[in-house]
Structure formats: C-alpha cells, structure tokens
Amino acid sequence: MTATMPQAAVGASLSPAAVARIRADFPILQERPHGKPLIFLDSAASSQKPVQVIEAMDDYYRRYHANIHRGIYHISELATEAYEEARSAIARFIGSPCSAECIFVRNATEGINLVAYSWGRSNVRAGDVILLTEMEHHSNLVPWQMLAQEKGARLRFVPVTADGRLDMNRLDTLLDGARLFAFTAVSNTLGTINPVRELCLRARAAGAVSVVDACQAVPRMPVDVTQWQCDFAAFSSHKMLGPTGIGVLWGRKDLLDAMPPFLTGGGMINVVRYDRTTFADVPARFEAGTPAIAEAVGLGAAVAYLTAVGMERVARYEHELAALALEKLRGIGQVVVYGPGIEHRTGVISITVGDIHAHDLASILDREGICVRAGHHCNQPLMEKLGVPATTRASFYLYNTPDEIDALIAGLEKAKRIFKLT
Ligand SMILES: Cc1ncc(COP(=O)(O)O)c(C=O)c1O
C-alpha cells in the first residue's frame, strides 16, 4: 500500500481535524456535481473509497496480478498471500477465531443465499418455522421465502413497534419451533440497532440457528461475532470503504464443515473423477471458480483503514452526526422521521417531508450537490407497514461533517419553498 494510513483520532469520537484528514483520503470528495461541492449522504447504499483502497488494487494489477492457489511462480504466490491475508484481516476485524470461517462471496446477498441453499436445503423440513423480522432487506427475505416454498416451511416475522424497534416481548413465542432466525443487526431504513447478542442467545436457547445480516453493522460499529454468539453473519465490502464485487459470509466452523457446496466447479474440489467428486475443506469448498482477487486486496486495505481510524470512533462519530441531524430535522415543520430515538439508532435517517415525493426531494437535493437515497430501500413490506410508498434516506459515515448536515437542512427548506409547504 503506497498511501499513508490515517492517524488514529484523539479522544472518544473523531475530531474535526481527524475528519479533515480522513476527507483528504477520498478523491471523490473533490468532485463538484452541478458546480457544488459533493455532499455524499448515501453511504448506507455504498460508501466512497479512500485512496489507500484504490492504490492497493492498482498496485495488485500493476505488480502481482496472477491467479491464486495454482501458480507455482513468484507473483502467483504474492497474489495468494495477499488474498489470504485479506481473509485473516477480515477475521481479526470481526472477532472470528479462525480465518477459514470467512468465506469470500460476491456480496451480502450471495452470503445469505449460500446459507439458504446449502444449510437451508439440508436442514429445513416441511412444517419448520423460519423466523425473520418485519424490517428485513429483500436480500434477507426473498431467499427465505424461496426456501420456505420449496420445503413447505412456514415464515414468521418479529413485529416492528411504532417506534421502529423489534417487539422483543413476542420473541420467545415466535421462536417456538423455529429452525432458523435471520435478522438484520441494523435496519437500512430505520437506522435501528438491534440487540444482536440477545437475539442470537434466545435463538440458540430455542434450538434455532441465527443468521445475522451484518451489512449495515460491520461498516459502522465494532463487530465481534464471538461476542454476538451468532451462527452466520453476512456483509458486503462496498459499504465499508472496500470495492464492489466482494463480500463475506462468516459461519461457525462446525456448521460450515457439515454443509454441502453451493456453487461447484474449479477451486472447490479435492479429487475429481468422471463420475464423482470430493470437495475441498472450507473456505475453498465455498469459493468455486477464480475469486475476486483484486477486490479481496481492496477489502483488506479497507479493513486496515477502518482499523487505523478505530471502529469505536467511527461509531461514536456517526452517532453524533445522527444526533445533530435529528435535532435539526425536528426544527423543520412537516418532516416525519422514521425509526427510534437516538439511543437506539445509528446514522441512517429516513424521512418524508409533507407530501413531497421522495424522488422530487432527492432531485432537488441533487441540484445542491447532495446525494441521498429515495425509494423503498429494498424494504417494500416495511414501507407498506409504515404506510408510505417511499422515504428519503440520508446516511452518514466517517467522512461527513456537521456542515453537510446544515446543507441538507437548507436543501430541505428549499424543497419546502418550491412545493409551497409552510
Ligand atoms: C441491511 C442490508 N442487507 C443486505 C443488503 C444487500 O447488500 P448487497 O446488495 O451488497 O448484497 C443491504 C444493502 O443495501 C442492506 O442494507
């Protein structure tokens, strides 16, 4: 890696000087869409990339690109080492005791599908219950619907309360008879932080395997899968400063060892004959074909970057930005904020403003250089429950600033003036 790492920020959160240093690492923040400074408030969809990640991938392609695990020559060994080092870095980052528990997949969606196809099709039977929550992203809903249809299993849902939290009172009843409980650690629409450890422990006590959609958690807070006591967790690199095209499925080693392959072909075998095949151990068993090598290198660099900043600081800083945004949003009439109070949420804030359509609002903000998400956020059933077709979502990350929140508020005021809302 050629660029220097950010200095760890002093104090509990990130100081303005630390944020300024971080911002300098993100080339895209120099862009000026519509002649305005780029204000990127859509990191929950996909984060921006620091120069350290971009350069690590560039360096790989320039100096040691080769296929891995096969070549008996120097640059292939370098590529293999970098790929496996990225796996070890991920394992350390999420508190996994063993790097073989980290399977590289394309994204969180593929990780969840891997569990549904491999573990699910071997273990879920007719009449079994698959427990989900009402706040799941489509990626943690549709694979389970497909499995339930195929196996004749039943889906149940932990309700979301009026203040955007999981209704824990119903949990034990809902877990009764459940084979599997799949839930998100952090809601991508409401910003709710769920009590993951408690949910996993209660699932285990009820005899259910837990699958955590950690897509919005790993980028923005310290995550320790051992402390969580989960059985599986899936997340995507592109939301945590890394490249697109790679993600991680973490699984408990004993569960992974007992699971049949998902995708098959080269790289995942032990011995192949014309009529039969034996399979490699994990993680190779679940990494068929040439993997995303450059992307693994980039993800490794992203993990190094976040580690140098410190995940506690990232979490605290994002929380501070969220608190500031909520306070300022309260000062604007006709704004409805969805989700819980600040003590239960992270920097993902969904709003509606009067009857302005979310797409109109996002277009007006875009003219101010502000990027927000508008739509159903892959949460259509939750939108239906909230009684809105769409929301506008602002999400903050370590490179955002209080000034950018002021710009967001000014943009919302402008939208209200255009739509003649008082
Ligand atoms: C909570 C949650 N789960 C799953 C996903 C799916 O991630 P990916 O599209 O990277 O597979 C997302 C992406 O927005 C998400 O926010």
mmCIF file of all heavy atoms in Angstrom, residues 6-23 25-26 219-220 241 305-321 396-402:
data_model
loop_
_atom_site.group_PDB
_atom_site.id
_atom_site.type_symbol
_atom_site.label_atom_id
_atom_site.label_comp_id
_atom_site.label_asym_id
_atom_site.label_seq_id
_atom_site.Cartn_x
_atom_site.Cartn_y
_atom_site.Cartn_z
ATOM 1 N N PRO A 6 -4.565 6.791 7.916
ATOM 2 C CA PRO A 6 -4.964 7.947 8.721
ATOM 3 C C PRO A 6 -4.424 7.792 10.132
ATOM 4 O O PRO A 6 -4.331 6.674 10.636
ATOM 5 C CB PRO A 6 -6.488 7.851 8.718
ATOM 6 C CG PRO A 6 -6.768 6.418 8.486
ATOM 7 C CD PRO A 6 -5.657 5.891 7.640
ATOM 8 N N GLN A 7 -4.077 8.907 10.757
ATOM 9 C CA GLN A 7 -3.680 8.826 12.167
ATOM 10 C C GLN A 7 -4.922 8.519 12.982
ATOM 11 O O GLN A 7 -5.988 9.052 12.702
ATOM 12 C CB GLN A 7 -3.146 10.175 12.631
ATOM 13 C CG GLN A 7 -1.760 10.474 12.126
ATOM 14 C CD GLN A 7 -1.370 11.885 12.514
ATOM 15 O OE1 GLN A 7 -1.927 12.455 13.444
ATOM 16 N NE2 GLN A 7 -0.422 12.436 11.792
ATOM 17 N N ALA A 8 -4.749 7.678 13.977
ATOM 18 C CA ALA A 8 -5.899 7.400 14.843
ATOM 19 C C ALA A 8 -6.328 8.710 15.502
ATOM 20 O O ALA A 8 -5.498 9.499 15.919
ATOM 21 C CB ALA A 8 -5.505 6.386 15.904
ATOM 22 N N ALA A 9 -7.634 8.954 15.498
ATOM 23 C CA ALA A 9 -8.128 10.213 16.065
ATOM 24 C C ALA A 9 -7.960 10.210 17.574
ATOM 25 O O ALA A 9 -7.965 9.161 18.204
ATOM 26 C CB ALA A 9 -9.592 10.372 15.711
ATOM 27 N N VAL A 10 -7.785 11.403 18.121
ATOM 28 C CA VAL A 10 -7.620 11.511 19.569
ATOM 29 C C VAL A 10 -8.999 11.680 20.198
ATOM 30 O O VAL A 10 -9.853 12.355 19.648
ATOM 31 C CB VAL A 10 -6.740 12.746 19.897
ATOM 32 C CG1 VAL A 10 -6.503 12.843 21.397
ATOM 33 C CG2 VAL A 10 -5.436 12.665 19.147
ATOM 34 N N GLY A 11 -9.200 11.080 21.338
ATOM 35 C CA GLY A 11 -10.487 11.258 22.026
ATOM 36 C C GLY A 11 -11.486 10.196 21.628
ATOM 37 O O GLY A 11 -11.185 9.288 20.861
ATOM 38 N N ALA A 12 -12.686 10.353 22.181
ATOM 39 C CA ALA A 12 -13.690 9.316 22.039
ATOM 40 C C ALA A 12 -14.260 9.228 20.630
ATOM 41 O O ALA A 12 -14.575 8.154 20.152
ATOM 42 C CB ALA A 12 -14.808 9.586 23.026
ATOM 43 N N SER A 13 -14.389 10.395 19.984
ATOM 44 C CA SER A 13 -15.007 10.414 18.669
ATOM 45 C C SER A 13 -13.937 10.826 17.650
ATOM 46 O O SER A 13 -12.754 10.603 17.884
ATOM 47 C CB SER A 13 -16.171 11.398 18.700
ATOM 48 O OG SER A 13 -16.741 11.508 17.435
ATOM 49 N N LEU A 14 -14.335 11.387 16.540
ATOM 50 C CA LEU A 14 -13.363 11.909 15.575
ATOM 51 C C LEU A 14 -13.370 13.424 15.684
ATOM 52 O O LEU A 14 -14.437 14.055 15.601
ATOM 53 C CB LEU A 14 -13.749 11.487 14.161
ATOM 54 C CG LEU A 14 -13.659 9.988 13.851
ATOM 55 C CD1 LEU A 14 -14.250 9.688 12.476
ATOM 56 C CD2 LEU A 14 -12.206 9.519 13.897
ATOM 57 N N SER A 15 -12.202 14.024 15.869
ATOM 58 C CA SER A 15 -12.116 15.483 15.957
ATOM 59 C C SER A 15 -12.310 16.064 14.558
ATOM 60 O O SER A 15 -12.102 15.356 13.561
ATOM 61 C CB SER A 15 -10.747 15.891 16.498
ATOM 62 O OG SER A 15 -9.766 15.519 15.554
ATOM 63 N N PRO A 16 -12.676 17.355 14.461
ATOM 64 C CA PRO A 16 -12.773 17.975 13.131
ATOM 65 C C PRO A 16 -11.480 17.817 12.337
ATOM 66 O O PRO A 16 -11.513 17.579 11.129
ATOM 67 C CB PRO A 16 -13.060 19.450 13.456
ATOM 68 C CG PRO A 16 -13.749 19.408 14.795
ATOM 69 C CD PRO A 16 -13.104 18.262 15.534
ATOM 70 N N ALA A 17 -10.327 17.902 13.020
ATOM 71 C CA ALA A 17 -9.050 17.761 12.301
ATOM 72 C C ALA A 17 -8.896 16.342 11.757
ATOM 73 O O ALA A 17 -8.422 16.141 10.626
ATOM 74 C CB ALA A 17 -7.887 18.096 13.236
ATOM 75 N N ALA A 18 -9.325 15.340 12.560
ATOM 76 C CA ALA A 18 -9.231 13.948 12.098
ATOM 77 C C ALA A 18 -10.144 13.733 10.893
ATOM 78 O O ALA A 18 -9.767 13.065 9.926
ATOM 79 C CB ALA A 18 -9.601 12.996 13.234
ATOM 80 N N VAL A 19 -11.340 14.322 10.960
ATOM 81 C CA VAL A 19 -12.276 14.169 9.838
ATOM 82 C C VAL A 19 -11.702 14.852 8.594
ATOM 83 O O VAL A 19 -11.803 14.321 7.479
ATOM 84 C CB VAL A 19 -13.677 14.719 10.197
ATOM 85 C CG1 VAL A 19 -14.606 14.675 8.992
ATOM 86 C CG2 VAL A 19 -14.276 13.921 11.347
ATOM 87 N N ALA A 20 -11.066 16.004 8.791
ATOM 88 C CA ALA A 20 -10.458 16.698 7.647
ATOM 89 C C ALA A 20 -9.372 15.821 7.022
ATOM 90 O O ALA A 20 -9.263 15.728 5.789
ATOM 91 C CB ALA A 20 -9.878 18.041 8.102
ATOM 92 N N ARG A 21 -8.593 15.143 7.855
ATOM 93 C CA ARG A 21 -7.540 14.259 7.323
ATOM 94 C C ARG A 21 -8.169 13.083 6.573
ATOM 95 O O ARG A 21 -7.710 12.674 5.518
ATOM 96 C CB ARG A 21 -6.655 13.720 8.458
ATOM 97 C CG ARG A 21 -5.557 14.687 8.904
ATOM 98 C CD ARG A 21 -4.500 13.962 9.731
ATOM 99 N NE ARG A 21 -5.040 13.363 10.939
ATOM 100 C CZ ARG A 21 -5.178 13.993 12.110
ATOM 101 N NH1 ARG A 21 -4.817 15.250 12.218
ATOM 102 N NH2 ARG A 21 -5.681 13.371 13.157
ATOM 103 N N ILE A 22 -9.231 12.543 7.162
ATOM 104 C CA ILE A 22 -9.926 11.424 6.507
ATOM 105 C C ILE A 22 -10.467 11.877 5.150
ATOM 106 O O ILE A 22 -10.286 11.204 4.133
ATOM 107 C CB ILE A 22 -11.058 10.890 7.420
ATOM 108 C CG1 ILE A 22 -10.445 10.108 8.594
ATOM 109 C CG2 ILE A 22 -12.045 10.031 6.643
ATOM 110 C CD1 ILE A 22 -11.417 9.771 9.710
ATOM 111 N N ARG A 23 -11.106 13.041 5.138
ATOM 112 C CA ARG A 23 -11.707 13.530 3.883
ATOM 113 C C ARG A 23 -10.664 13.673 2.774
ATOM 114 O O ARG A 23 -10.950 13.416 1.608
ATOM 115 C CB ARG A 23 -12.416 14.872 4.124
ATOM 116 C CG ARG A 23 -13.709 14.714 4.906
ATOM 117 C CD ARG A 23 -14.325 16.077 5.189
ATOM 118 N NE ARG A 23 -14.736 16.773 3.973
ATOM 119 C CZ ARG A 23 -15.868 16.553 3.314
ATOM 120 N NH1 ARG A 23 -16.707 15.647 3.757
ATOM 121 N NH2 ARG A 23 -16.154 17.234 2.223
ATOM 122 N N ASP A 25 -8.362 11.804 2.140
ATOM 123 C CA ASP A 25 -8.061 10.489 1.565
ATOM 124 C C ASP A 25 -9.086 10.055 0.509
ATOM 125 O O ASP A 25 -8.907 9.011 -0.122
ATOM 126 C CB ASP A 25 -8.052 9.413 2.672
ATOM 127 C CG ASP A 25 -6.833 9.537 3.573
ATOM 128 O OD1 ASP A 25 -5.797 10.037 3.103
ATOM 129 O OD2 ASP A 25 -6.932 9.125 4.747
ATOM 130 N N PHE A 26 -10.178 10.794 0.361
ATOM 131 C CA PHE A 26 -11.258 10.371 -0.534
ATOM 132 C C PHE A 26 -11.302 11.288 -1.758
ATOM 133 O O PHE A 26 -11.920 12.361 -1.711
ATOM 134 C CB PHE A 26 -12.607 10.370 0.214
ATOM 135 C CG PHE A 26 -12.707 9.264 1.223
ATOM 136 C CD1 PHE A 26 -12.078 9.368 2.458
ATOM 137 C CD2 PHE A 26 -13.395 8.090 0.931
ATOM 138 C CE1 PHE A 26 -12.135 8.333 3.380
ATOM 139 C CE2 PHE A 26 -13.452 7.046 1.850
ATOM 140 C CZ PHE A 26 -12.824 7.175 3.076
ATOM 141 N N PRO A 219 -19.732 -1.987 8.724
ATOM 142 C CA PRO A 219 -19.072 -0.739 8.327
ATOM 143 C C PRO A 219 -19.042 0.326 9.419
ATOM 144 O O PRO A 219 -18.192 1.199 9.389
ATOM 145 C CB PRO A 219 -19.940 -0.220 7.172
ATOM 146 C CG PRO A 219 -20.726 -1.394 6.704
ATOM 147 C CD PRO A 219 -20.919 -2.268 7.906
ATOM 148 N N ARG A 220 -19.982 0.273 10.370
ATOM 149 C CA ARG A 220 -20.160 1.461 11.205
ATOM 150 C C ARG A 220 -20.064 1.248 12.708
ATOM 151 O O ARG A 220 -20.284 2.187 13.470
ATOM 152 C CB ARG A 220 -21.476 2.154 10.855
ATOM 153 C CG ARG A 220 -22.694 1.293 10.801
ATOM 154 C CD ARG A 220 -23.941 2.132 10.533
ATOM 155 N NE ARG A 220 -23.765 3.051 9.413
ATOM 156 C CZ ARG A 220 -23.957 2.750 8.133
ATOM 157 N NH1 ARG A 220 -24.405 1.559 7.818
ATOM 158 N NH2 ARG A 220 -23.751 3.634 7.191
ATOM 159 N N LEU A 241 -15.987 0.918 2.741
ATOM 160 C CA LEU A 241 -14.834 1.549 2.088
ATOM 161 C C LEU A 241 -14.144 0.657 1.062
ATOM 162 O O LEU A 241 -13.222 1.100 0.383
ATOM 163 C CB LEU A 241 -13.776 2.054 3.101
ATOM 164 C CG LEU A 241 -14.245 2.928 4.259
ATOM 165 C CD1 LEU A 241 -13.026 3.391 5.079
ATOM 166 C CD2 LEU A 241 -15.032 4.124 3.778
ATOM 167 N N TYR A 305 -7.702 0.401 6.907
ATOM 168 C CA TYR A 305 -8.045 1.824 7.076
ATOM 169 C C TYR A 305 -8.993 2.020 8.264
ATOM 170 O O TYR A 305 -8.753 2.850 9.148
ATOM 171 C CB TYR A 305 -8.697 2.343 5.780
ATOM 172 C CG TYR A 305 -8.839 3.850 5.749
ATOM 173 C CD1 TYR A 305 -7.883 4.637 5.119
ATOM 174 C CD2 TYR A 305 -9.926 4.495 6.344
ATOM 175 C CE1 TYR A 305 -8.002 6.031 5.092
ATOM 176 C CE2 TYR A 305 -10.053 5.870 6.330
ATOM 177 C CZ TYR A 305 -9.085 6.626 5.696
ATOM 178 O OH TYR A 305 -9.202 8.002 5.686
ATOM 179 N N LEU A 306 -10.067 1.219 8.286
ATOM 180 C CA LEU A 306 -11.054 1.359 9.376
ATOM 181 C C LEU A 306 -10.422 1.017 10.721
ATOM 182 O O LEU A 306 -10.732 1.645 11.743
ATOM 183 C CB LEU A 306 -12.266 0.461 9.107
ATOM 184 C CG LEU A 306 -13.197 0.936 7.986
ATOM 185 C CD1 LEU A 306 -14.224 -0.130 7.644
ATOM 186 C CD2 LEU A 306 -13.892 2.246 8.363
ATOM 187 N N THR A 307 -9.535 0.026 10.716
ATOM 188 C CA THR A 307 -8.870 -0.362 11.966
ATOM 189 C C THR A 307 -7.995 0.786 12.470
ATOM 190 O O THR A 307 -7.968 1.072 13.670
ATOM 191 C CB THR A 307 -8.023 -1.631 11.752
ATOM 192 O OG1 THR A 307 -8.873 -2.650 11.217
ATOM 193 C CG2 THR A 307 -7.401 -2.125 13.045
ATOM 194 N N ALA A 308 -7.291 1.444 11.543
ATOM 195 C CA ALA A 308 -6.421 2.559 11.938
ATOM 196 C C ALA A 308 -7.246 3.725 12.498
ATOM 197 O O ALA A 308 -6.838 4.379 13.460
ATOM 198 C CB ALA A 308 -5.585 3.012 10.746
ATOM 199 N N VAL A 309 -8.401 3.978 11.902
ATOM 200 C CA VAL A 309 -9.267 5.047 12.439
ATOM 201 C C VAL A 309 -9.822 4.617 13.793
ATOM 202 O O VAL A 309 -9.872 5.408 14.744
ATOM 203 C CB VAL A 309 -10.417 5.367 11.458
ATOM 204 C CG1 VAL A 309 -11.382 6.388 12.073
ATOM 205 C CG2 VAL A 309 -9.868 5.897 10.141
ATOM 206 N N GLY A 310 -10.243 3.360 13.878
ATOM 207 C CA GLY A 310 -10.824 2.833 15.124
ATOM 208 C C GLY A 310 -12.332 2.759 15.008
ATOM 209 O O GLY A 310 -12.993 3.797 14.844
ATOM 210 N N MET A 311 -12.884 1.559 15.092
ATOM 211 C CA MET A 311 -14.331 1.404 14.891
ATOM 212 C C MET A 311 -15.159 2.035 15.996
ATOM 213 O O MET A 311 -16.286 2.472 15.763
ATOM 214 C CB MET A 311 -14.688 -0.075 14.706
ATOM 215 C CG MET A 311 -14.258 -0.655 13.373
ATOM 216 S SD MET A 311 -14.758 0.347 11.944
ATOM 217 C CE MET A 311 -16.536 0.114 11.940
ATOM 218 N N GLU A 312 -14.598 2.095 17.217
ATOM 219 C CA GLU A 312 -15.328 2.792 18.292
ATOM 220 C C GLU A 312 -15.532 4.250 17.893
ATOM 221 O O GLU A 312 -16.610 4.814 18.082
ATOM 222 C CB GLU A 312 -14.523 2.753 19.601
ATOM 223 C CG GLU A 312 -14.461 1.403 20.280
ATOM 224 C CD GLU A 312 -15.754 1.068 21.022
ATOM 225 O OE1 GLU A 312 -16.647 1.927 21.073
ATOM 226 O OE2 GLU A 312 -15.863 -0.078 21.499
ATOM 227 N N ARG A 313 -14.485 4.839 17.358
ATOM 228 C CA ARG A 313 -14.573 6.250 16.976
ATOM 229 C C ARG A 313 -15.524 6.450 15.812
ATOM 230 O O ARG A 313 -16.300 7.404 15.782
ATOM 231 C CB ARG A 313 -13.180 6.774 16.613
ATOM 232 C CG ARG A 313 -12.274 6.927 17.802
ATOM 233 C CD ARG A 313 -11.011 7.656 17.402
ATOM 234 N NE ARG A 313 -10.241 7.946 18.584
ATOM 235 C CZ ARG A 313 -9.249 7.170 19.018
ATOM 236 N NH1 ARG A 313 -8.931 6.077 18.367
ATOM 237 N NH2 ARG A 313 -8.595 7.495 20.113
ATOM 238 N N VAL A 314 -15.467 5.531 14.847
ATOM 239 C CA VAL A 314 -16.390 5.629 13.711
ATOM 240 C C VAL A 314 -17.826 5.606 14.231
ATOM 241 O O VAL A 314 -18.659 6.430 13.851
ATOM 242 C CB VAL A 314 -16.154 4.467 12.707
ATOM 243 C CG1 VAL A 314 -17.232 4.438 11.630
ATOM 244 C CG2 VAL A 314 -14.769 4.577 12.076
ATOM 245 N N ALA A 315 -18.095 4.655 15.137
ATOM 246 C CA ALA A 315 -19.463 4.501 15.657
ATOM 247 C C ALA A 315 -19.885 5.756 16.431
ATOM 248 O O ALA A 315 -20.996 6.262 16.246
ATOM 249 C CB ALA A 315 -19.538 3.271 16.559
ATOM 250 N N ARG A 316 -18.992 6.253 17.278
ATOM 251 C CA ARG A 316 -19.359 7.428 18.083
ATOM 252 C C ARG A 316 -19.579 8.652 17.206
ATOM 253 O O ARG A 316 -20.514 9.417 17.410
ATOM 254 C CB ARG A 316 -18.266 7.725 19.115
ATOM 255 C CG ARG A 316 -18.244 6.698 20.201
ATOM 256 C CD ARG A 316 -17.719 7.269 21.517
ATOM 257 N NE ARG A 316 -17.601 6.141 22.433
ATOM 258 C CZ ARG A 316 -16.442 5.609 22.811
ATOM 259 N NH1 ARG A 316 -15.321 6.149 22.427
ATOM 260 N NH2 ARG A 316 -16.423 4.569 23.611
ATOM 261 N N TYR A 317 -18.694 8.818 16.224
ATOM 262 C CA TYR A 317 -18.809 9.996 15.362
ATOM 263 C C TYR A 317 -20.119 9.951 14.565
ATOM 264 O O TYR A 317 -20.832 10.944 14.456
ATOM 265 C CB TYR A 317 -17.602 10.077 14.425
ATOM 266 C CG TYR A 317 -17.627 11.294 13.550
ATOM 267 C CD1 TYR A 317 -17.581 12.573 14.113
ATOM 268 C CD2 TYR A 317 -17.727 11.194 12.161
ATOM 269 C CE1 TYR A 317 -17.635 13.707 13.314
ATOM 270 C CE2 TYR A 317 -17.780 12.322 11.354
ATOM 271 C CZ TYR A 317 -17.731 13.570 11.940
ATOM 272 O OH TYR A 317 -17.785 14.695 11.152
ATOM 273 N N GLU A 318 -20.423 8.776 14.044
ATOM 274 C CA GLU A 318 -21.653 8.646 13.264
ATOM 275 C C GLU A 318 -22.874 8.911 14.148
ATOM 276 O O GLU A 318 -23.849 9.533 13.718
ATOM 277 C CB GLU A 318 -21.712 7.241 12.656
ATOM 278 C CG GLU A 318 -22.622 7.200 11.473
ATOM 279 C CD GLU A 318 -22.699 5.840 10.837
ATOM 280 O OE1 GLU A 318 -21.660 5.284 10.457
ATOM 281 O OE2 GLU A 318 -23.824 5.332 10.733
ATOM 282 N N HIS A 319 -22.790 8.446 15.372
ATOM 283 C CA HIS A 319 -23.876 8.665 16.317
ATOM 284 C C HIS A 319 -24.052 10.166 16.589
ATOM 285 O O HIS A 319 -25.175 10.682 16.634
ATOM 286 C CB HIS A 319 -23.555 7.912 17.618
ATOM 287 C CG HIS A 319 -24.730 7.736 18.512
ATOM 288 N ND1 HIS A 319 -24.898 8.463 19.658
ATOM 289 C CD2 HIS A 319 -25.804 6.920 18.422
ATOM 290 C CE1 HIS A 319 -26.021 8.105 20.227
ATOM 291 N NE2 HIS A 319 -26.596 7.175 19.511
ATOM 292 N N GLU A 320 -22.937 10.862 16.735
ATOM 293 C CA GLU A 320 -23.009 12.323 16.956
ATOM 294 C C GLU A 320 -23.645 13.031 15.768
ATOM 295 O O GLU A 320 -24.473 13.926 15.933
ATOM 296 C CB GLU A 320 -21.594 12.884 17.174
ATOM 297 C CG GLU A 320 -21.048 12.604 18.556
ATOM 298 C CD GLU A 320 -19.553 12.928 18.663
ATOM 299 O OE1 GLU A 320 -19.002 13.616 17.781
ATOM 300 O OE2 GLU A 320 -18.949 12.458 19.632
ATOM 301 N N LEU A 321 -23.242 12.608 14.560
ATOM 302 C CA LEU A 321 -23.839 13.227 13.367
ATOM 303 C C LEU A 321 -25.341 12.944 13.324
ATOM 304 O O LEU A 321 -26.142 13.821 12.985
ATOM 305 C CB LEU A 321 -23.175 12.688 12.092
ATOM 306 C CG LEU A 321 -21.740 13.137 11.810
ATOM 307 C CD1 LEU A 321 -21.235 12.473 10.527
ATOM 308 C CD2 LEU A 321 -21.623 14.651 11.668
ATOM 309 N N PHE A 396 -24.946 8.726 7.095
ATOM 310 C CA PHE A 396 -23.679 9.399 7.371
ATOM 311 C C PHE A 396 -22.563 8.388 7.574
ATOM 312 O O PHE A 396 -22.805 7.248 7.978
ATOM 313 C CB PHE A 396 -23.816 10.270 8.635
ATOM 314 C CG PHE A 396 -25.035 11.137 8.600
ATOM 315 C CD1 PHE A 396 -26.042 10.997 9.547
ATOM 316 C CD2 PHE A 396 -25.196 12.078 7.591
ATOM 317 C CE1 PHE A 396 -27.182 11.785 9.496
ATOM 318 C CE2 PHE A 396 -26.331 12.870 7.533
ATOM 319 C CZ PHE A 396 -27.332 12.716 8.487
ATOM 320 N N TYR A 397 -21.337 8.865 7.338
ATOM 321 C CA TYR A 397 -20.182 7.993 7.551
ATOM 322 C C TYR A 397 -19.027 8.842 8.047
ATOM 323 O O TYR A 397 -19.178 10.055 8.264
ATOM 324 C CB TYR A 397 -19.864 7.238 6.252
ATOM 325 C CG TYR A 397 -19.201 5.889 6.464
ATOM 326 C CD1 TYR A 397 -19.156 5.273 7.712
ATOM 327 C CD2 TYR A 397 -18.613 5.212 5.405
ATOM 328 C CE1 TYR A 397 -18.550 4.025 7.882
ATOM 329 C CE2 TYR A 397 -18.010 3.972 5.562
ATOM 330 C CZ TYR A 397 -17.976 3.393 6.820
ATOM 331 O OH TYR A 397 -17.381 2.164 6.989
ATOM 332 N N LEU A 398 -17.883 8.219 8.194
ATOM 333 C CA LEU A 398 -16.766 8.902 8.869
ATOM 334 C C LEU A 398 -16.267 10.143 8.142
ATOM 335 O O LEU A 398 -15.597 10.975 8.753
ATOM 336 C CB LEU A 398 -15.617 7.917 9.129
ATOM 337 C CG LEU A 398 -14.766 7.393 7.970
ATOM 338 C CD1 LEU A 398 -13.598 6.573 8.538
ATOM 339 C CD2 LEU A 398 -15.521 6.580 6.990
ATOM 340 N N TYR A 399 -16.602 10.288 6.838
ATOM 341 C CA TYR A 399 -16.119 11.455 6.093
ATOM 342 C C TYR A 399 -17.134 12.589 6.036
ATOM 343 O O TYR A 399 -16.905 13.595 5.389
ATOM 344 C CB TYR A 399 -15.677 11.063 4.675
ATOM 345 C CG TYR A 399 -16.560 10.024 4.003
ATOM 346 C CD1 TYR A 399 -17.889 10.276 3.687
ATOM 347 C CD2 TYR A 399 -16.040 8.768 3.695
ATOM 348 C CE1 TYR A 399 -18.682 9.331 3.074
ATOM 349 C CE2 TYR A 399 -16.828 7.803 3.084
ATOM 350 C CZ TYR A 399 -18.148 8.096 2.768
ATOM 351 O OH TYR A 399 -18.936 7.142 2.171
ATOM 352 N N ASN A 400 -18.295 12.435 6.650
ATOM 353 C CA ASN A 400 -19.286 13.513 6.628
ATOM 354 C C ASN A 400 -19.023 14.511 7.757
ATOM 355 O O ASN A 400 -18.318 14.201 8.712
ATOM 356 C CB ASN A 400 -20.705 12.938 6.732
ATOM 357 C CG ASN A 400 -21.085 12.167 5.487
ATOM 358 O OD1 ASN A 400 -21.438 10.990 5.542
ATOM 359 N ND2 ASN A 400 -20.985 12.811 4.339
ATOM 360 N N THR A 401 -19.603 15.706 7.608
ATOM 361 C CA THR A 401 -19.330 16.777 8.581
ATOM 362 C C THR A 401 -20.638 17.430 9.036
ATOM 363 O O THR A 401 -21.654 17.358 8.329
ATOM 364 C CB THR A 401 -18.458 17.883 7.952
ATOM 365 O OG1 THR A 401 -19.226 18.498 6.906
ATOM 366 C CG2 THR A 401 -17.152 17.339 7.392
ATOM 367 N N PRO A 402 -20.605 18.131 10.173
ATOM 368 C CA PRO A 402 -21.783 18.893 10.605
ATOM 369 C C PRO A 402 -22.219 19.915 9.555
ATOM 370 O O PRO A 402 -23.409 20.153 9.376
ATOM 371 C CB PRO A 402 -21.298 19.575 11.889
ATOM 372 C CG PRO A 402 -20.218 18.671 12.415
ATOM 373 C CD PRO A 402 -19.532 18.120 11.198
#
